[in-house]
Amino acid sequence: AKREGRARVCFFESETDQELRDRRLLQHDLRQALEQNQFLVYFQPQARMDGEVIGFEALLRWNHPTRGFVPPDQFIPLAEENGLIIQIGEWVLREACREAASWPRPLQVAVNLSPVQFQAGDLERSIHQVLLETGLTPTRLEVEITEGVLIGDFTRALNLLRRLKALGIRIAMDDFGTGYSSLSYLQSFPFDKIKIDRSFISNLEATPQSAEIVRAVLSLAHALNIPVIAEGVETEAQRAFLAHEACEQMQGYLVGRPDLIERYLDLVGVTVER
Ligand code: C2E
Ligand code: CA
Ligand code: CA
Ligand code: CA
């Protein structure tokens, strides 16, 4: 039994070492990714329940020279750990705003902000700068934040959100329902939109509880006059349920996958010569 125990410990230790090494390697590579143009911004359409596209969410992609595409869930935490997310996040914001400013149709563009961008640096100034530089009308920019932004220095985060809102930018609460205190944050700040987390939408058919939770979120949001977008809508059955419950908007593979903007040029009003 003793030997078994030791063997097991060794197994876990070596696995942890391996993971740690890999994490360091990725973190090292991340430092060069910006200068070497390895990042791309993908765009995913956001639509009304009738399918009419009203905007796009910018989603970061890292095309690693040897590993290929590394999922954001893997590298964003690393970039948050070493602070690189501040520069990377500003790059995404600039790319997304520049792209949106070039669209003939005045659609919205949504950009994800990391809690680290809120804690450090001068987020307000850099957003203001990007808006001036790209000429994007502030009301066309929506920033998506998770409750992580409000954990920590709550007052500072709240003041920053208020100043961003004063610039005309819209603020969406992302991943709604997954955290511990989503509800109390609704009380502290007038969010412009709530994004119901994908987990509730994917489970709509399978678990009756999910349908009840989605209904409850919608009725709460509507009582507070906050429009709701459902994430991860993949099927017509999900769309129909949400439309029936008066959900305002949807995003998901049913409308379109995240992709290079080239794929969506017709939607943004660029007529492509064929
Ligand atoms: P998120 O902000 O909740 O983004 C939604 C995720 O759901 C995206 O994953 C999107 O590709 C995926 N998705 C959208 N529709 C569907 C669907 O119908 N089915 C399924 N199965 N998935 C769908 P992605 O692009 O891998 O991004 C993962 C997370 O990485 C994002 O979650 C966000 O938290 C973070 N992220 C992405 N880009 C950025 C960025 O520029 N800055 C920051 N700070 N975080 C980012
Ligand atoms: Ca998001
Ligand atoms: Ca989300
Ligand atoms: Ca998420």
Side-chain angles (χ1 to χ4, degrees), residues 57-59 111-112 144 174-175 195 231 251:
E57 178 179 1
L59 292 160
V111 177
N112 294 283
E144 297 191 357
D174 208 348
D175 298 349
K195 298 194 79 170
E231 292 189 321
Q251 179 177 350

Side-chain angles (χ1 to χ4, degrees), residues 114-227:
S114 156
V116 175
Q117 290 175 274
F118 270 74
Q119 286 150 21
D122 192 349
L123 184 63
E124 185 193 6
R125 214 188 50 179
S126 85
I127 292 181
H128 187 65
Q129 178 65 32
V130 166
L131 288 171
L132 287 178
E133 213 176 282
T134 60
L136 186 75
T137 311
T139 50
R140 290 181 56 200
L141 175 62
E142 186 161 87
V143 296
E144 297 191 357
I145 65 161
T146 55
E147 66 170 48
V149 161
L150 293 156
I151 292 166
D153 196 340
F154 178 74
T155 312
R156 180 187 148 90
L158 206 61
N159 283 328
L160 192 42
L161 284 178
R162 289 193 180 118
R163 292 203 303 273
L164 293 182
K165 207 169 158 123
L167 291 177
I169 295 164
R170 300 163 46 83
I171 318 281
M173 170 152 264
D174 208 348
D175 298 349
F176 189 82
T178 56
Y180 295 104
S181 5
S182 302
L183 286 184
S184 78
Y185 293 131
L186 286 187
Q187 166 177 265
S188 343
F189 187 77
F191 287 94
D192 296 292
K193 199 190 270 186
I194 286 173
K195 298 194 79 170
I196 306 187
D197 193 67
R198 174 156 57 96
S199 56
F200 301 109
I201 311 301
S202 354
N203 290 326
L204 269 182
E205 283 108 326
T207 52
Q209 291 92 329
S210 296
E212 285 311 323
I213 291 169
V214 170
R215 275 196 194 100
V217 169
L218 284 165
S219 104
L220 172 71
H222 292 157
L224 296 170
N225 272 314
I226 308 174

Side-chain angles (χ1 to χ4, degrees), residues 41-42 44 57-61 71-77 80 85 88-89 92-93 111-115 117 144 146 174-175 195 197-198 202 231-235 238 251-258:
V41 179
Y42 272 21
Q44 184 179 33
E57 178 179 1
L59 292 160
L60 182 59
R61 294 292 179 265
D73 289 332
Q74 265 175 45
F75 72 84
I76 285 172
E80 287 176 329
I85 193 66
I88 298 172
V92 175
L93 181 75
V111 177
N112 294 283
L113 293 183
S114 156
Q117 290 175 274
E144 297 191 357
T146 55
D174 208 348
D175 298 349
K195 298 194 79 170
D197 193 67
R198 174 156 57 96
S202 354
E231 292 189 321
V233 178
E234 295 184 355
T235 68
Q238 292 165 347
Q251 179 177 350
Y253 297 168
L254 184 67
V255 184
R257 291 184 181 246

Side-chain angles (χ1 to χ4, degrees), residues 44-93:
Q44 184 179 33
Q46 301 184 321
R48 280 201 273 266
M49 301 314 294
D50 63 3
E52 164 96 2
V53 170
I54 50 158
F56 289 85
E57 178 179 1
L59 292 160
L60 182 59
R61 294 292 179 265
W62 181 15
N63 190 4
H64 186 282
T66 58
R67 296 172 195 240
F69 280 83
V70 181
D73 289 332
Q74 265 175 45
F75 72 84
I76 285 172
L78 300 182
E80 287 176 329
E81 225 169 85
N82 62 19
L84 275 176
I85 193 66
I86 295 171
Q87 286 170 62
I88 298 172
E90 193 174 325
W91 179 85
V92 175
L93 181 75

